[in-house]
Amino acid sequence: WSKNSISLCFRNVNALAPMVRVGTLPTRLLSLDYGADIVYSEELIDIKMAQCQRVVNEVLETVDFVAPDERVMFRTCEKEKDRVVFQMGGMGAALLSDPDKIEAILRTLVKGVSKPVTCKIRILPTLEDTVSLVKRIENTGVAAIAVHGRLKDERPRHPVHCDFIQAIAEAVSIPVIANGGSLDRVKAHADIEEFRKVTGASSVMVARAAMWNPSVFRSQGLLSVEEVMEEYLKYAIRYDNHAFNTKYCLCQMLRDKVESPLGKQLKSAQTNKEICEGYGLQEYYKKTQAELQARREAIQTNHNHPNQPVLDGDVTTMHVKFERREYPGEFSPKMFLLEWSRKENLEQPRYETVQRSQDRAFQSMVTMTGKKYRSTLWEKSKKYAEQASAIVCLRVLGLPEGRAGEEYSGLVGKRKREEKSNETPDEEDTTTYFGARKRHLSENPEKQRVTNYSK
């Protein structure tokens, strides 16, 4: 999402805690529907995410981070914008014994990203050591700290140490998010506020209670698990959630009923369609699939027409690939864009290029008059990627790009005809003029940047 999005607030909020395999998009959206203020994603390993490619899924209207093996590692959508926290895993409990490394990691993150950074820890054996660690974390510049009130080796059956959380909340000025009360303290919405008061924390983070029934965030009271599971399944179908993840989350909601007839049917299902059959949602499944297919066909039709730009955040994108054989003339799309900027006395186009780690492909974005343009397709070279972005910009602006068969309606053709008709000896010949321009560009190239790209 855009870097200019609204900053998250971590005071007086109820948050869905990060939970492996549970905190995927359907659970997050359902929790927001029921009243959660902020939702954390499942914990994702930073090394795996570094290998992902960011993909705009126009059919689902999502932004996906896709691994080299085509697995969707993280999926988000507009509905949770400014309310979702991406949980990057560094095995936090293991890091508790190395506060220097904790501090170094957090300082690097706070300095390196434009979004607010939070940290989640467990308590240490002594209150003194715990408060000391939290103060060091506060000094890194994090926006908030979540505290699971249990020791590293303690399990959910052990009582949560509310006194530790209270002492931490009194010791720091940043928001403290209390976590760990699902078993013995938080069973309904009213309990969340009580847990906040007991711990003295700014906010509360709910894990297992929300995993069992996300309507725990609902101020009007809990809904039946059966109703909640149906609503969850609708989101899973709408956003094409992986069937095995859908099964897992539904099984957590069934709890001790997992061996019931519904539970057995759920466990035997292999697809989201088969899961829907167990919940009587066959018609919803058919309707949703038909809607997605219609959207897929409409998008495909648009893609067959090159002049159909799509806005991705603040960047205008098009499906454009630079085919050298389609531009046989002397002047490339980049040259056309450059000449137009000079004619209009504008700042010259500025290119920023990234390289994808898994296949070394390139993608470029050009900024022209404060607006950004990019092709959604990746190219084999930096040069081709820049040409593709220039084509997107030219097409959106309605300018010639030098493509084969294109009528002379632009700068280069016009300049050439005018100079030939004038035949003024003091004026440069067009070929010489552009030759000089090319030499000038090679000596003083436009401002460009290449960075390694791992998303």
Side-chain angles (χ1 to χ4, degrees), residues 331-346 348-349 394 399 410-412 415 433-434 437-438 441 446:
F331 310 111
S332 68
K334 283 185 66 178
M335 283 297 297
F336 273 88
L337 185 58
L338 179 61
E339 284 304 312
W340 177 78
S341 69
R342 286 172 173 162
K343 177 179 179 293
E344 300 295 324
N345 294 319
L346 300 171
Q348 293 185 8
L394 289 165
L399 298 173
L411 301 169
V412 176
R415 182 191 297 271
Y433 175 84
F434 279 108
R437 287 295 187 195
K438 287 184 177 180
L441 288 173
E446 305 125 297

Side-chain angles (χ1 to χ4, degrees), residues 11-40:
R11 292 191 184 277
N12 300 314
V13 299
N14 296 333
L16 175 71
M19 291 179 282
V20 176
R21 293 188 299 276
V22 174
T24 45
L25 185 58
T27 301
R28 299 199 305 268
L29 294 181
L30 193 57
S31 296
L32 289 173
D33 284 349
Y34 289 141
D37 301 295
I38 292 175
V39 289
Y40 280 69

Side-chain angles (χ1 to χ4, degrees), residues 102-358:
I102 294 174
E103 190 173 347
I105 290 173
L106 290 175
R107 287 191 184 278
T108 300
L109 285 172
V110 170
K111 182 179 179 180
V113 301
S114 61
K115 303 292 185 183
V117 176
T118 67
C119 177
K120 181 173 181 285
I121 65 166
R122 284 193 174 220
I123 61 174
L124 296 173
T126 70
L127 180 58
E128 182 181 5
D129 288 343
T130 304
V131 171
S132 175
L133 173 62
V134 170
K135 285 185 175 180
R136 291 184 65 176
I137 291 173
E138 180 184 30
N139 290 333
T140 65
V142 296
I145 181 168
V147 181
H148 183 165
R150 290 188 177 87
L151 297 169
K152 175 183 174 182
D153 297 325
E154 288 184 325
R155 305 270 59 88
R157 66 178 181 274
H158 295 103
V160 61
H161 299 273
C162 293
D163 55 334
F164 272 61
I165 301 176
Q166 185 176 26
I168 292 169
E170 294 173 352
V172 297
S173 59
I174 59 174
V176 173
I177 308 172
N179 175 234
S182 288
L183 181 65
D184 51 355
R185 291 187 176 271
V186 178
K187 295 179 173 61
H189 181 269
D191 300 328
I192 297 177
E193 181 59 29
E194 182 61 27
F195 187 46
R196 188 199 318 269
K197 291 179 179 178
V198 170
T199 58
S202 302
S203 303
V204 173
M205 176 181 284
V206 184
R208 284 167 302 134
M211 175 180 71
W212 297 325
N213 189 333
S215 70
V216 69
F217 293 109
R218 189 170 177 268
S219 60
Q220 301 90 333
L222 285 170
L223 297 173
S224 69
V225 172
E226 290 74 20
E227 181 177 350
V228 171
M229 286 193 292
E230 286 190 13
E231 294 304 311
Y232 169 87
L233 189 49
K234 288 178 180 178
Y235 271 131
I237 301 306
R238 166 61 182 84
Y239 289 101
D240 194 26
N241 197 50
H242 196 286
F244 291 106
N245 181 254
T246 301
K247 283 174 58 175
Y248 179 85
C249 292
L250 289 172
C251 283
Q252 304 312 306
M253 296 182 203
L254 281 173
R255 301 183 70 182
D256 56 356
K257 297 179 181 178
V258 74
E259 293 303 323
S260 66
L262 176 59
K264 291 180 180 179
Q265 185 174 356
L266 174 62
K267 289 194 294 183
S268 65
Q270 298 298 308
T271 65
N272 280 330
K273 180 180 179 181
E274 292 177 358
I275 295 174
C276 283
E277 292 173 357
Y279 287 84
L281 293 175
Q282 298 96 318
E283 290 304 314
Y284 177 84
Y285 179 85
K286 291 179 182 178
K287 178 184 176 182
T288 303
Q289 292 303 309
E291 291 173 352
L292 294 177
Q293 181 59 29
R295 188 178 301 154
R296 191 177 292 111
E297 293 172 355
I299 291 171
Q300 185 60 46
T301 299
N302 289 337
H303 288 176
N304 291 333
H305 297 82
N307 293 319
Q308 295 292 330
V310 175
L311 195 62
D312 177 13
D314 61 347
V315 183
T316 300
T317 66
M318 294 174 68
H319 294 266
V320 171
K321 191 170 185 65
F322 177 69
E323 299 286 354
R324 187 68 187 88
R325 64 180 180 275
E326 295 182 2
Y327 299 85
E330 182 182 354
F331 310 111
S332 68
K334 283 185 66 178
M335 283 297 297
F336 273 88
L337 185 58
L338 179 61
E339 284 304 312
W340 177 78
S341 69
R342 286 172 173 162
K343 177 179 179 293
E344 300 295 324
N345 294 319
L346 300 171
E347 183 179 352
Q348 293 185 8
R350 177 167 53 89
Y351 295 86
E352 297 179 44
T353 305
V354 293
Q355 186 175 27
R356 196 164 58 188
S357 59
Q358 59 263 38

Side-chain angles (χ1 to χ4, degrees), residues 60-123:
L60 297 177
E61 298 176 319
T62 61
V63 175
D64 300 342
F65 289 83
V66 184
D69 61 3
E70 298 187 353
R71 285 183 301 151
V72 177
M73 301 299 294
F74 177 68
R75 170 169 286 164
T76 186
C77 68
E78 183 73 16
K79 186 171 182 177
E80 64 174 1
K81 183 178 180 181
D82 298 322
R83 301 175 73 184
V84 63
V85 178
F86 178 81
Q87 178 76 1
M88 185 169 63
M91 301 302 109
L95 282 173
L96 286 174
S97 60
D98 194 346
D100 290 338
K101 182 174 287 187
I102 294 174
E103 190 173 347
I105 290 173
L106 290 175
R107 287 191 184 278
T108 300
L109 285 172
V110 170
K111 182 179 179 180
V113 301
S114 61
K115 303 292 185 183
V117 176
T118 67
C119 177
K120 181 173 181 285
I121 65 166
R122 284 193 174 220
I123 61 174

